[in-house]
Amino acid sequence: MAAGKGEADIVKARTDKREYRRIVLKNSLEALLISDPDTDKCAATMDVGVGSFSDPEGLEGLAHFLEHMLFYASEKYPLEDSYSKYITEHGGRTNAFTASEHTNYHFDVNTDCFEEALDRFAQFFIKPLMSADATMREIKAVDSENQKNLLSDAWRMNQLQKHLSMEGHPYHKFSTGNLDTLEVRPKARGLDTRLELIKFYEENYSANLMHLVVYAKENLDKIENMVEQKFQDIQNADRSCFRCPGHPCTPEHLQILVRAVPIKEGHKLRIVWPITPEILRYKEGPCRYLGHLVGHEGEGSLFYILKTLGWATGLSAGETDWTLDFSFFKVVIDLTEAGHEHMQDIIGLLFKYIRLLQQSGICKWIFDELSAICETKFHYQDKTPPADYVVNIASNMQIYPPHDWLVGSSLPSMFNPGTIERVLEELSMDNVRIFWESKKFEGHTDMFEPWYETPYSVEKITCSMIQEWVLGAPNENLHLPAPNVFIPTDLSLKNAQEVKFPVLLRKSSRSRLWYKPDTRFSTPKAYVKMDFNCPHAGNSPEAEVLTDIFTRLIMDYLNEYAYDAQVAGLYYGINHIDCGFQVTLVGYNHKLRALLETVLEKIAIFKVKADRFSVIKEMVTKEYQNVKFQQPYQQAMYYCSLILQDHTWHWMEELEVLPHLEAEDLAKFAPVMLSRAFLECYIAGNIESSEAESMVQHVEDVFFSGSNPICQPLFSSQHVTNRVVKLERGMSYFYSAEGLNPNDENSALVHYIQVHRDDFLLNVKLQLFALIAKQPAFHQLRSVEQLGYITVLVQRNDSGIHGVQFIIQSTAKGPGNIDLRVEAFLKTFESKIYEMTDDEFKNNVNTLIDMKLEKYKNLREESGFYWREIYNGTLKFDRKESEVAALRKLTQKELIDFFNDYIKVGAPQRKSLSVGVYGNLHSSEYTADASEPGPYSVKIDNIFSFRRSQPLYGSFRGVSGHVKL
């Protein structure tokens, strides 16, 4: 019988209408039950208090490998991958991850089949089947996952920090695992990895180390009965919780300056201190307080000074890699070329700022301000998808007492200056580790990190050396931030009339305003999008790059003023889009208008500051240079888009023009870009219609009014379109390219099938095919054939042109061979569509209907859907209802006919495009594949020649709804 019922002491948000209950089963499994009668999805997660820190010596990655293996099959449900198949076929998703001290398994699914899904899930923790056949295949999957990470700077630098710690400490370990650690080395020692895996499971997966969260539609009593029945048979071996043996850094690992060579262009400083974990004093929030100040970007902050000096383009600060036994405080600074040359000055300024914090004392008003921001954020938090919600809570259950399971450490409420001072004292010169990354260190290092082969060197530094850096640093006016004027104080809800879909509130030759008040989410938040459609913004590679720099400069100029808005929960962005630029504001509506007016003013009075232009140009240049270090599958997706989307420029052309652009070029370009514009606006949330109209009127007044207006309305011929290449029926096209990074062994293929221009009936046929084929494709191509860790089948929508694509990254096979495997899968899948029973077909249709009728969780999610309709020009706000109506009438024969016409290999209407990126393991295949196109295929040699020779689909945008002039 369960014990410890009740939710009375679980702290929950004021706006949270869900019910909670904590129970403990007789096997000591602790669970949190959540009842939400309004949910469209049910979810569950099991968090096991065992992670990579528990890997046995010489079997690095075993905990991660177990996470991969556990979901294959169980004694009760022995068919391999039947769990994933069941979840996918019922509108859900499943995943897992391995952390240092815990491993998390989770899923969500449509509500009507939750009980069976939960039963299948529970069996993995009762009697999993880890077959010998699956073991070797999944070791290859773990190895493929590791291959994906080998050229990632984030993974490399993280492992380097771990490497430079005490060898016997679990923090020092390599956590992911690979073929070497899970097969080659164990075999050489006479170990059977599968037996070791089973032993690890039996010794560590004990009910008393598990925390379960179940999120369902039923009432708490029903959920409790379900949980008791399904999880009470998990064995309780009464294992003790893993604890680390103190801090991983001894004196030899402190006071060091590590120079490391990254993969990507750019320079970075990571300054790290071992500290007392905040978790021990989470109500007092010492790291939150210090991270807020050290990472601040307002006037007088460390970042503000570094930015003013032209030395940094980004800075973040806070606690990282924390456990109950050790933790680190980390400051990460993105450096400019000039900043790289002033590393010592930057470290000096950082320690000057730390000294300022010590001398200023711990300020109660700053703590109170932070506390107020956190409290508002918690009580007005957006509802998130159940799967994400339960994962977050389950992680909290391992650490916090039950009353704080929903809160975690997000509500610092106890002001204790002594606690903050103690952590501040730990940010000292004799406790520091400095990691300095730059490609300029190439050839000047003398060591390699063993797992990722990152070149590095270590130099001991002393307090007196750092003291000299402090004395030599510029004498700048560092000071604490001013009170935050953007903290909302009016959280009242406006009276709004129920509106099902966005309404066209206002239109003119200058703008169009779509509006939807919030009557669903009851939060004091708003969502504002304003697209400046400017034909001159994208008519050449130079214009494209200058528009990009323009938007970044506006953000740069706003930063010290508007940073406080982001801290207070009002987010803003000015982004370059394919037809101009976009202004976005999302968050509390109280101070939104003031921020919007400042943003618009910065755009209207834009002047180029030469020093900031140089910094932004340098940053943009590095981003373009780093395109070549993208994952091969990302490169393949880029080429696919370049082939399909008319009026786009190659990144290499943009990189070519960059060096020649100067501040004067932007000064001349900006007025021309803004000279003609049309504003597409969407305003939603806790805002009245008169306020929305007033906002757009203000934009028009700023940009279109006066004797010498900044903007003129567009001519009828200038409205921006988004046209997509129309592939020829019965043809298969092939484009191949060598991987941009010669050191990357991975190859990739995107196999795209173009189907139709937006149409409700064809849409649902394509969606139903994708739903039915997704899991079999993953099982065959990833689990059985082991082509690669990244293996997905997804739908694709290019401005209303719909299709489907297989995306596969592999070291096992080259793109040509992968393409053959995709086509082989489609041939075998054909019989599955024919063999489907009436009940199976109806179940799949009902699953898709349930997915479509799923309610939006929050304003951002709802607005994202409506904005895509506006941005694409399709304007089908009733899309879900209309597609559900089409689905209800759909027959199995219609689906089979659709497959035979559009998807089947060799079908008369089939239009496919295969894009292959060849890594260095398959470079010899590149020449052969490129010179031997298969039957019915067209080899694309030049993307732009091909694009110019093809017909285009009509554009939805720039056609419907605009005012005729």
Side-chain angles (χ1 to χ4, degrees), residues 269-328:
L269 270 175
R270 300 176 202 263
I271 304 98
V272 188
W273 294 267
I275 58 162
T276 306
E278 180 177 85
I279 187 64
L280 305 176
R281 295 280 187 274
Y282 68 91
K283 291 284 187 191
E284 296 160 24
C287 292
R288 185 182 287 269
Y289 177 95
L290 293 171
H292 169 66
L293 292 175
V294 179
H296 209 279
E297 298 183 17
E299 202 173 314
S301 67
L302 174 63
F303 178 69
Y304 175 79
I305 299 300
L306 295 177
K307 181 186 147 185
T308 305
L309 291 164
W311 293 351
T313 57
L315 186 150
S316 62
E319 190 180 29
T320 181
D321 288 339
W322 62 269
T323 71
L324 292 171
D325 302 281
F326 69 87
S327 183
F328 296 95

Side-chain angles (χ1 to χ4, degrees), residues 46-318:
M46 182 72 87
D47 206 82
V48 186
V50 180
S52 58
F53 279 0
S54 299
D55 284 345
E57 198 63 44
L59 279 163
E60 293 86 356
L62 194 68
H64 178 221
F65 179 44
L66 175 56
E67 172 233 301
H68 273 243
M69 283 295 295
L70 202 68
F71 277 0
Y72 260 82
S74 64
E75 197 172 279
K76 185 173 178 181
Y77 300 99
L79 193 62
E80 191 178 287
D81 259 10
S82 64
Y83 162 76
S84 302
K85 182 172 185 285
Y86 186 86
I87 297 292
T88 305
E89 285 178 352
H90 293 89
R93 60 192 172 102
T94 175
N95 213 335
F97 61 85
T98 306
S100 301
E101 295 184 300
H102 65 109
T103 305
N104 184 282
Y105 304 85
H106 56 273
F107 75 91
D108 69 5
V109 75
N110 289 344
T111 55
D112 58 349
C113 51
F114 180 56
E115 186 161 359
E116 183 175 339
L118 193 65
D119 191 56
R120 290 170 177 272
F121 181 73
Q123 290 304 311
F124 297 123
F125 306 98
I126 297 168
K127 284 192 176 173
L129 289 181
M130 293 183 260
S131 71
D133 176 48
T135 301
M136 195 56 225
R137 280 189 275 123
E138 210 52 34
I139 285 175
K140 288 178 181 172
V142 170
D143 189 64
S144 175
E145 184 177 356
N146 182 62
Q147 287 279 347
K148 166 184 75 72
N149 302 333
L150 287 178
L151 298 176
S152 158
D153 282 327
W155 282 92
R156 292 162 71 87
M157 296 308 161
N158 181 50
Q159 190 62 42
L160 179 57
Q161 289 171 62
K162 293 167 73 169
H163 178 65
L164 294 172
S165 67
M166 198 162 45
E167 277 196 34
H169 196 285
Y171 177 73
H172 182 83
K173 291 179 178 179
F174 167 58
S175 61
T176 314
N178 59 23
L179 190 66
D180 201 34
T181 67
L182 294 171
E183 172 66 11
V184 178
R185 292 188 195 182
K187 210 170 192 175
R189 290 164 53 209
L191 295 177
D192 182 321
T193 302
R194 179 171 171 265
L195 296 180
E196 294 299 319
L197 185 76
I198 293 166
K199 180 180 162 190
F200 184 83
Y201 173 83
E202 289 173 347
E203 287 182 357
N204 292 285
Y205 273 48
S206 172
N208 72 304
L209 296 182
M210 297 182 183
H211 289 88
L212 174 72
V213 185
V214 176
Y215 190 115
K217 202 176 181 76
E218 289 77 20
N219 65 44
L220 289 171
D221 289 338
K222 282 188 178 172
I223 302 171
E224 183 173 338
N225 287 335
M226 204 168 13
V227 167
E228 282 186 336
Q229 286 170 23
K230 299 187 188 310
F231 292 90
Q232 64 186 356
D233 292 334
I234 296 175
Q235 66 138 358
N236 179 16
D238 200 25
R239 296 292 173 195
S240 55
C241 207
F242 177 86
R243 293 297 296 265
C244 283
H247 214 286
C249 293
T250 64
E252 71 172 289
H253 306 116
L254 304 175
Q255 291 184 275
I256 55 172
L257 172 61
V258 181
R259 291 175 173 84
V261 181
I263 298 292
K264 291 186 173 182
E265 297 292 338
H267 318 288
K268 206 181 276 276
L269 270 175
R270 300 176 202 263
I271 304 98
V272 188
W273 294 267
I275 58 162
T276 306
E278 180 177 85
I279 187 64
L280 305 176
R281 295 280 187 274
Y282 68 91
K283 291 284 187 191
E284 296 160 24
C287 292
R288 185 182 287 269
Y289 177 95
L290 293 171
H292 169 66
L293 292 175
V294 179
H296 209 279
E297 298 183 17
E299 202 173 314
S301 67
L302 174 63
F303 178 69
Y304 175 79
I305 299 300
L306 295 177
K307 181 186 147 185
T308 305
L309 291 164
W311 293 351
T313 57
L315 186 150
S316 62

Side-chain angles (χ1 to χ4, degrees), residues 461-623:
I461 50 175
T462 62
C463 291
S464 58
M465 286 168 69
I466 298 174
Q467 194 60 51
E468 282 180 32
W469 300 351
V470 172
L471 292 171
N475 191 20
E476 298 289 338
N477 183 24
L478 290 162
H479 60 79
L480 296 178
N484 190 333
V485 298
F486 281 102
I487 296 175
T489 52
D490 179 2
L491 297 165
S492 61
L493 299 179
K494 311 282 172 82
N495 291 320
Q497 195 176 343
E498 178 78 47
V499 176
K500 190 173 184 185
F501 299 122
V503 293
L504 185 57
L505 200 59
R506 180 180 196 277
K507 68 176 181 177
S508 71
S509 61
R510 305 162 172 182
S511 70
R512 184 164 66 159
L513 167 61
W514 297 95
Y515 167 72
K516 186 178 185 302
D518 172 30
T519 52
R520 177 179 297 190
F521 309 110
S522 302
T523 56
K525 297 178 182 179
Y527 183 101
V528 174
K529 281 271 190 195
M530 294 183 174
D531 266 13
F532 283 71
N533 288 301
C534 306
H536 297 299
N539 58 12
S540 69
E542 287 91 346
E544 194 88 6
V545 173
L546 286 169
T547 306
D548 188 12
I549 295 175
F550 168 81
T551 60
R552 291 171 190 250
L553 274 173
I554 298 285
M555 288 290 285
D556 187 76
Y557 298 168
L558 279 165
N559 194 58
E560 45 267 23
Y561 164 77
Y563 176 75
D564 273 346
Q566 301 209 129
V567 170
L570 178 54
Y571 304 97
Y572 71 99
I574 299 98
N575 300 300
H576 168 223
I577 53 174
D578 59 4
C579 55
F581 61 95
Q582 184 179 84
V583 175
T584 308
L585 288 90
V586 185
Y588 301 112
N589 57 275
H590 182 205
K591 309 284 179 79
L592 185 145
R593 176 70 181 259
L595 179 59
L596 176 64
E597 289 183 3
T598 305
V599 169
L600 296 172
E601 183 192 3
K602 289 284 184 195
I603 297 169
I605 63 167
F606 177 76
K607 294 281 184 290
V608 183
K609 298 175 186 173
D611 59 333
R612 298 313 300 160
F613 176 88
S614 299
V615 168
I616 299 297
K617 176 184 167 182
E618 181 190 310
M619 190 162 78
V620 171
T621 302
K622 281 176 185 161
E623 285 183 21

Side-chain angles (χ1 to χ4, degrees), residues 749-753 777 780-781 785 787 791-793 805-808 815-829 903 905 910 914:
L749 174 87
V750 169
H751 182 102
Y752 165 69
I753 303 168
Q780 180 61 34
L781 301 172
E785 298 188 27
L787 292 181
T791 302
V792 290
L793 165 63
Q805 59 188 356
F806 293 81
I807 303 166
I808 300 171
N817 284 316
I818 299 172
D819 211 20
L820 293 174
R821 300 317 308 147
V822 168
E823 299 215 331
F825 164 75
L826 286 169
K827 284 170 185 170
T828 58
F829 180 77
I903 309 293
V905 178
R910 189 179 198 261
S914 295

